Amino acid sequence: MENLDLLVLRTLRDWRRAGRGALLATVTRTWGSSPRPVGSIMALCEGGAVVGSVSGGCIEDDLIHRYRDVLADRPPQRVSYGVSADEAHRFGLPCGGTLELLLEFMPDADALDTLVRRLDQGELVRRDVEVATGRTRLHTQAHAAPLLDDGRAVRNVFGPAYRLLLIGAGQLSEYLAGMALFNGFTVTVCDPREEHRGAWTTPGVTLSHEMPDDVVLSFRCDRRTAIVALTHDPKLDDLALLEALHSESFYVGAIGSRRNQAARRARLIEHFGQTEQTLSRLRGPIGIHIDSKTPAEIAVSVMAELIAVKNGVALPDGVAVGVAKDRQAVLREGPSVCLTES
């Protein structure tokens, strides 16, 4: 499944290229509880087709009702929902929830195409919208940042899809790859063992036969990259993990019991000159403890932890596993967390 922002922007571009009327809605402010965070986007096409989301559904229904048949080229418009308790109840917002949207009518297809192409090329791009006129500008962005709205312009940062590199093409990798695809990651599986790659069945995944450490180097890992070693084979896992720890990947982890993890750390310290400090970002055993037994259940626990790190959520023991400030910002600092016996 494609990254949601990319899916919205790509679909909106295709609608506009086909000459169809459409609008782009962006959540610019929230007060109290809200179903979707600031920066969330959705697109509405004439006739009522919608992609993306700015709420749980009721606000989308209202936008469809109000604009599906009256889309025209005009300046952006700000609309608010949930100002009163009655309106919040009517639109299905949480108690006290209010959100503000910026609606952009008939966005330029060429400008959208440029944005989508740059995102496809792996760029992080800031899109500035001049509220009074609807004019847009694109800027290369060095780091992820939350949406900014100073009243005159709305600046929203879009990034490429999050990437997951799985080392090993076993059954657990199949389950984890499927869950990652469903959550908008692009997935690459690396396994030089032909007998393992030959049994792979999950579509939508890039398969590599190269040595894992070479793949990590060529991957150009950034803060939207996660690397998980699943082979239990030190010859495949260890060098790849070392390269991953030298990158900006927001998540680096390996499957295995606490005993195996301790042995790996001792091995990396003794033979590869590592220290406890240089290994502090290596996660293992990976996964949130749910007493998982089967490969499918283990994949659920690993994916839950990976998403928690991406979103900057504290794990049950109270240890913060990430410091993400918004839906796009993911930093790599943080202690190692050992939660499960796999």
Side-chain angles (χ1 to χ4, degrees):
M1 194 171 191
E2 188 174 34
N3 171 276
L4 182 57
D5 285 349
L6 259 174
L7 176 62
V8 172
L9 295 169
R10 196 187 307 280
T11 305
L12 177 60
R13 177 204 61 186
D14 293 344
W15 285 339
R16 295 295 296 125
R17 269 181 167 175
R20 304 182 69 185
L23 66 77
L24 177 66
T26 304
V27 179
T28 55
R29 295 181 187 176
T30 64
W31 295 267
S33 301
S34 62
R36 297 283 284 138
V38 167
S40 299
I41 59 174
M42 63 153 276
L44 166 66
C45 182
E46 61 187 13
V50 168
V51 61
S53 174
V54 292
S55 79
C58 295
I59 289 174
E60 286 83 352
D61 289 344
D62 185 69
L63 291 173
I64 293 170
H65 175 74
R66 292 169 63 179
Y67 297 106
R68 60 181 293 176
D69 298 321
V70 293
L71 287 168
D73 194 5
R74 58 174 130 166
Q77 176 183 348
R78 293 184 188 270
V79 296
S80 296
Y81 289 91
V83 174
S84 67
D86 287 345
E87 192 174 52
H89 178 73
R90 175 189 167 197
F91 292 111
L93 294 169
C95 182
T98 301
L99 61 82
E100 182 180 273
L101 305 176
L102 179 71
L103 306 182
E104 299 174 58
F105 299 90
M106 313 294 278
D108 181 72
D110 290 338
L112 288 168
D113 186 61
T114 300
L115 174 58
V116 169
R117 282 191 288 106
R118 290 176 65 172
L119 294 175
D120 281 339
Q121 292 167 3
E123 288 190 51
L124 195 65
V125 181
R126 192 185 81 216
R127 180 176 184 266
D128 296 355
V129 181
E130 190 177 279
V131 176
T133 65
R135 284 195 292 264
T136 63
R137 291 188 177 91
L138 302 180
H139 305 271
T140 298
Q141 186 83 3
H143 303 289
L147 179 144
L148 294 177
D149 181 358
D150 63 8
R152 295 179 303 232
V154 172
R155 300 174 175 87
N156 202 8
V157 176
F158 297 98
Y162 283 92
R163 298 183 297 163
L164 174 61
L165 173 59
L166 298 175
I167 300 169
Q171 188 177 28
L172 175 56
S173 295
E174 291 244 24
Y175 284 112
L176 191 54
M179 292 177 190
L181 290 169
F182 183 79
N183 281 282
F185 286 76
T186 59
V187 181
T188 298
V189 174
C190 169
D191 200 323
R193 303 168 299 180
E194 184 177 356
E195 63 275 17
H196 288 263
R197 292 196 319 276
W200 187 266
T201 60
T202 301
V205 171
T206 300
L207 281 176
S208 171
H209 65 273
E210 298 178 43
M211 289 300 293
D213 53 319
D214 292 332
V215 175
V216 173
L217 283 173
S218 64
F219 218 59
R220 297 182 180 178
C221 304
D222 56 20
R223 294 178 180 181
R224 302 172 76 85
T225 304
I227 299 175
V228 182
L230 300 171
T231 73
H232 294 282
D233 185 343
K235 297 190 299 297
L236 298 178
D237 290 346
D238 286 4
L239 291 178
L241 291 170
L242 284 175
E243 296 296 347
L245 289 171
H246 294 150
S247 74
E248 290 191 326
S249 302
F250 75 88
Y251 185 102
V252 180
I255 200 72
S257 67
R258 296 183 187 275
R259 181 181 301 171
N260 288 340
Q261 299 294 343
R264 172 182 289 110
R265 289 174 178 272
R267 191 165 59 242
L268 295 178
I269 290 171
E270 179 180 357
H271 299 292
F272 295 96
Q274 299 302 299
T275 66
E276 288 296 340
Q277 183 176 1
T278 63
L279 297 176
S280 63
R281 291 202 302 121
L282 177 57
R283 299 179 181 276
I286 53 174
I288 291 175
H289 179 63
I290 55 172
D291 200 23
S292 49
K293 304 296 184 185
T294 67
E297 290 179 349
I298 294 170
V300 169
S301 74
V302 173
M303 198 67 217
E305 182 185 81
L306 199 155
I307 291 173
V309 176
K310 179 178 79 72
N311 293 342
V313 176
L315 288 177
D317 64 355
V319 178
V321 297
V323 288
K325 300 299 183 184
D326 64 281
R327 66 188 172 94
Q328 294 174 324
V330 176
L331 302 182
R332 60 189 176 90
E333 293 80 3
S336 175
V337 180
C338 298
L339 291 176
T340 62
E341 287 283 349
S342 301

